[in-house]
Amino acid sequence: MKAGIRFDLLEKIHLLPQQKQCIQMLIKTIVMAALQASSFCAQVQAGNQSFPRHTLAKAVPDSIDLTKIPYSEKDLTAFPIFDPPTDIVPLNKPLIRDFDRLFFPTKQGMTPLEGRVYKAFMTSATGKEWSLPFFEKSYRDLIIAAGGALIYQGKVAAAELERIKDEATYFGEEGSIDYTDTVVKVYAIRRKEGDHIFVQFSGYSAGGSIQICNCLKRRNELKHAKVPGYPAGDLTQI
C-alpha cells in the first residue's frame, strides 16, 4: 500500500513557513506510525515469531552433586593433597587460604564452592622445556590415583563470566585461569569420610594454572539432602 501525502494542499492555507514545516513533520510521523502498526498486525496474523519475547533467566546451581561418581577410599596427604609433578614448579609463591570461594565450570554454568583453597601458576623447572600435555597428564594421573574422576572439560563463554564478575572478585590473582581461551579440566574426589576435593587446571604454550578446593562437604551436601516432599537435587548431570 502506498501512502500519498499531498503537501501541495498546504499552499492554499495561509501559514507561516515554520507552521507548514511542523504540520509536514506531524503528518509524516502519523503515517509512519500507521504503517508500522499495520506491519505488526500482519506479522501477528501470519504467526510470525520475529518480534521480541521475554525469556526466563537460566537457573545455575550453587553446588555440585557427586552422587554419580564413586567414593574414594584412598589415603590422601595433607592439603593441598598434590605436590607439583616432576620437572614442574610454581612460578610464584602459591596462594593458600584457609577459607575462600572458587567458581568451577559445570555443564550448567560456573558454580561456587567454598573451603580451603590452593592456587598457583605453574611452569617448567630450570633447564626443562614446558609441555602442556605433560602438565595435564601428570595431574590427571595423580588425581585418578587418588580416586578422582573428570567431571567437566571445556571452555567457558564470556557471557557466563560476565554473569559472575561481581562475585568472582579474585579473578586476576595468583593461579587465575583463562576460561575463555583455554580448555579447563575439572576433577572431583568424592570422600565418604572427610571433605570432597575439587581440582581445576588449564594451560597454554608457556605455562599453566591450577586451583584446588578442599570443599566443605557438610555445607554442600545439605543442599542435596532429602526433605519430605522434596526430591534430592541432581545438579550436575555428570
Side-chain angles (χ1 to χ4, degrees), residues 21-85:
Q21 185 177 8
C22 289
I23 293 174
Q24 288 175 355
M25 293 299 298
L26 178 60
I27 293 173
K28 287 182 179 180
T29 301
I30 293 172
V31 171
M32 289 301 298
L35 290 174
Q36 290 177 357
S38 176
S39 174
F40 177 79
C41 290
Q43 288 183 13
V44 173
Q45 291 175 352
N48 192 320
Q49 303 297 318
S50 62
F51 47 87
R53 294 190 172 198
H54 294 291
T55 56
L56 294 175
K58 181 180 70 172
V60 178
D62 60 356
S63 65
I64 299 178
D65 181 19
L66 299 180
T67 56
K68 293 184 180 180
I69 67 174
Y71 285 107
S72 168
E73 297 182 357
K74 304 285 186 179
D75 292 330
L76 302 181
T77 60
F79 190 81
I81 314 299
F82 306 108
D83 292 327

Side-chain angles (χ1 to χ4, degrees), residues 135-190:
F135 168 72
E136 293 179 330
K137 179 183 182 304
S138 297
Y139 271 108
R140 180 193 67 204
D141 291 348
L142 288 172
I143 296 168
I144 291 177
L150 179 70
I151 62 172
Y152 179 85
Q153 176 175 299
K155 297 181 180 180
V156 179
E160 178 62 8
L161 299 181
E162 177 70 16
R163 180 185 68 83
I164 65 169
K165 68 176 184 179
D166 291 337
E167 295 181 76
T169 55
Y170 63 87
F171 280 2
E173 287 185 344
E174 181 69 24
S176 290
I177 291 175
D178 184 353
Y179 290 103
T180 58
D181 295 323
T182 62
V183 174
V184 184
K185 298 184 178 181
V186 180
Y187 290 82
I189 303 175
R190 185 186 182 197

